[in-house]
Amino acid sequence: MSTATSHRTEPAVVETKARPALARRQVHAVAGCYFVASFAALGLPPYLTEVLPELGDGAARWAGLLYVVPTLFGALGAPLWGRLADRFGRKRLLLRAQLGLATAFLLAGWADSLATFAAALVVQGVLGGTFAASNGYLGAALEGHALSRALTLMQGSARAALVFAPIVVGALTPWLSPHRQYALLAVLPLAAALMLAKLPEPDAAPVGAVQGDGTAPGAEVTEPAEAVPAEAVPAGRGPAGPGPDGYTPDARPLRALYALEFAFVFSTVISFPYLISLISQQLPGTGPLVSGVLFALPHLCYLVAAMGVHRAFRNRPRTGIALGFGCIAAGLAGHGLAGSLTSFIAVRLVLGAGLTLGLVCLSVLAADCAKGRAPGGLFGSIEFFSKAGAVAAGVAATAGNDWFGPVAPLLTGTAIAVVTGLATAAPLLARTLRTRRSPRCPR
C-alpha cells in the first residue's frame, strides 16, 4: 500500500530536456477542446433531479450521491492515466480521455435504468479525466511562465463551461430532456478528439515551433521565459543536489502544492451544492435567473481578471494564495450575513477575487513543480487531490446542511480557508520580519 501511495503522490523525476513549445494557437486549441468536451460533464449534473425520475427514482434521492460519482472515480483513475501518458505518449492519452468521455455520455444518454445510468457515470470518471490529460499534454511542451499561463487559460475554459453549459442545457430542455442530452452532447468530445488528432505529440518538435515564452525562435524576448518564483521554494529548503541541468526537484514544494490544492477546492466547492437554497432563504422571492447569475459571478470574475492576476503574482504565488484564502474566508462568511441583493453581489465578488487568486497562483506553483518531473504523473496526482477535495466538500456540505441548514457548509469552508491562509502566510511574514530586523552592512 505504501508503494502505491508513493506512486500516486510523488510523480517520477525525469531528466530535464530542452522541450519544444506549442504555438499559441495550439495552446488555445487544447483549451477550446476542453471547453467543448466538458459541456455535458459540467452542464448536466445540476439537472440530475430531472433525469432520475425518468429512471425510476421519482424523488431523486440518489442525486447527491450520483453527483460526486464521476469525481470520485476520476480521482482514483487520474494518477494511473497520468503515468501511462508519460510512458505511452501524452497526445494518445489525451485522445483516450476525450473518446472515453464520449463513450460515457452515449451510455448515459441511452440508459434505461438507474443502475445503467450509474454505471455510465462510473465510466465517465474512470475513462474521462480530460482536464488532467490536457494539462499533462501542455506540461510536456511548455515550461515556466508559458506553462503557468497555459494552465491559467485551461482554468478559464473550465470556468466558462461552468457558466455557460447549464444555460445551454436549460435552453434545450423544452425540446430534449436532460437525460437524452447526454447522448446528443457526446458529439462534442468526439469533435474535440478529431481536432486534437491534428496537434503534434509534444515529444517531437513541431514544424515552426515557438519558444516556451510564446515567441518565435530568434525573436526579441522582452521578459524572461523561465523564472522560478522566489516564494516557490522557501529559503534554506532548496534542492538536495544538482540534476543534469543543475536543478533537482524538491518534494517539499510538491507536497505543499497537494495540500493547498485540496484545501482550496474543499473551501470553494463546499459552497456550491446548497447555494440556491441559501439565496432563497436570505433573499425571498429571488427568481431562478437572478440565482443563476449570483452562482456564476465568482466564475465570471475569473474570466475577466485571471490574466491580469497572473501578470501581477507570477513571481510571488504564495502571497497571492494567502490573499486568495483570505478573500475566500471573507466571502464565505459574508454569505450568512448578506440580507440584500446588493450585499449578496458584493460577497460573491469577494469570493470571486479569492477564487481567481487561488486558481491562478496554484497554476504558477504547478508550473514550477513541473520542472524536472514527468508532467503526466504530476498533473494526474494534482487532479487526484483536487477531486478528493471536491468529494470531501460534497460530503461535508451534505452533512452540514442536514444538521444545521445551508449556512453550515459556508462556516466549514470559512474555517478551512482561514487555517490554510494563515499557514500559508506565516512563513512569508516570518521571512519579512527577519529581513527587516537583520542588521545593515556597515558602509
Side-chain angles (χ1 to χ4, degrees):
M1 181 177 294
S2 61
T3 302
T5 302
S6 174
H7 283 308
R8 182 173 66 239
T9 60
E10 298 291 345
V13 177
V14 296
E15 180 178 352
T16 303
K17 302 177 181 179
R19 293 176 295 184
L22 296 173
R24 180 171 298 180
R25 58 182 176 82
Q26 293 170 325
V27 174
H28 289 172
V30 174
C33 288
Y34 174 74
F35 172 76
V36 299
S38 62
F39 240 71
L42 297 177
L44 285 168
Y47 294 89
L48 284 178
T49 51
E50 297 184 24
V51 172
L52 297 185
E54 298 182 24
L55 300 173
D57 183 11
R61 293 179 302 169
W62 292 96
L65 178 62
L66 293 178
Y67 193 94
V68 300
V69 162
T71 303
L72 175 62
F73 283 90
L76 296 176
L80 172 63
W81 290 123
R83 292 196 296 273
L84 291 177
D86 292 328
R87 181 174 180 181
F88 296 107
R90 287 91 186 185
K91 179 181 174 180
R92 292 179 183 176
L93 271 293
L94 177 54
L95 291 173
R96 186 252 353 130
Q98 298 285 6
L99 295 175
L101 208 57
T103 301
F105 292 161
L106 285 173
L107 181 59
W110 295 112
D112 57 0
S113 68
L114 185 62
T116 306
F117 185 77
L121 297 183
V122 172
V123 172
Q124 177 186 332
V126 173
L127 297 185
T130 52
F131 189 73
S134 299
N135 287 346
Y137 178 88
L138 295 172
L142 302 171
E143 290 182 330
H145 289 328
L147 176 57
S148 65
R149 184 180 176 86
L151 297 179
T152 300
L153 181 64
M154 284 295 298
Q155 284 289 354
S157 295
R159 301 302 121 188
L162 195 59
V163 170
F164 296 112
I167 298 175
V168 174
V169 172
L172 292 175
T173 297
W175 294 276
L176 189 65
S177 70
H179 177 205
R180 300 307 179 190
Q181 285 188 46
Y182 270 101
L184 174 65
L185 295 180
V187 301
L188 295 178
L190 286 174
L194 290 176
M195 289 186 285
L196 291 169
K198 299 181 179 181
L199 294 180
E201 174 63 50
D203 291 334
V207 177
V210 296
Q211 299 176 18
D213 58 350
T215 61
E220 181 181 358
V221 179
T222 59
E223 60 182 22
E226 189 69 47
V228 178
E231 301 167 352
V233 181
R237 294 193 176 189
D245 64 345
Y247 178 82
T248 299
D250 184 8
R252 284 167 291 190
L254 186 59
R255 290 193 292 267
L257 173 62
Y258 291 155
L260 290 171
E261 185 76 26
F262 180 93
F264 175 81
V265 173
F266 182 95
S267 59
T268 52
V269 170
I270 198 172
S271 67
F272 291 175
Y274 299 100
L275 179 65
I276 302 301
S277 299
L278 180 69
I279 292 174
S280 300
Q281 177 179 301
Q282 301 286 95
L283 306 174
T286 301
L289 177 60
V290 175
S291 298
V293 172
L294 289 174
F295 182 90
L297 269 182
H299 310 292
L300 292 174
C301 287
Y302 184 93
L303 295 178
V304 171
M307 287 304 172
V309 171
H310 180 268
R311 288 191 295 270
F313 288 94
R314 64 185 182 181
N315 290 323
R316 44 179 180 168
R318 289 186 179 274
T319 299
I321 289 175
L323 291 174
F325 274 110
C327 290
I328 290 170
L332 291 178
H335 279 64
L337 303 175
S340 66
L341 180 60
T342 301
S343 59
F344 219 99
I345 290 174
V347 297
R348 294 298 288 170
L349 291 176
V350 172
L351 181 63
L355 184 79
T356 304
L357 283 163
L359 286 172
V360 170
C361 293
L362 284 172
S363 295
V364 174
L365 289 182
D368 181 62
C369 287
K371 181 177 175 63
R373 289 188 172 90
L378 171 67
F379 289 107
S381 295
I382 292 175
E383 186 76 353
F384 170 83
F385 285 96
S386 175
K387 290 185 179 298
V391 172
V395 173
T398 301
N401 181 76
D402 289 344
W403 293 340
F404 305 107
V407 175
L410 299 172
L411 297 179
T412 304
T414 300
I416 296 297
V418 168
V419 171
T420 310
L422 291 176
T424 306
L428 304 177
L429 293 175
R431 192 181 313 153
T432 301
L433 291 175
R434 285 198 302 268
T435 302
R436 290 181 177 178
R437 292 177 180 177
S438 58
R440 295 184 178 180
C441 296
R443 296 183 179 180

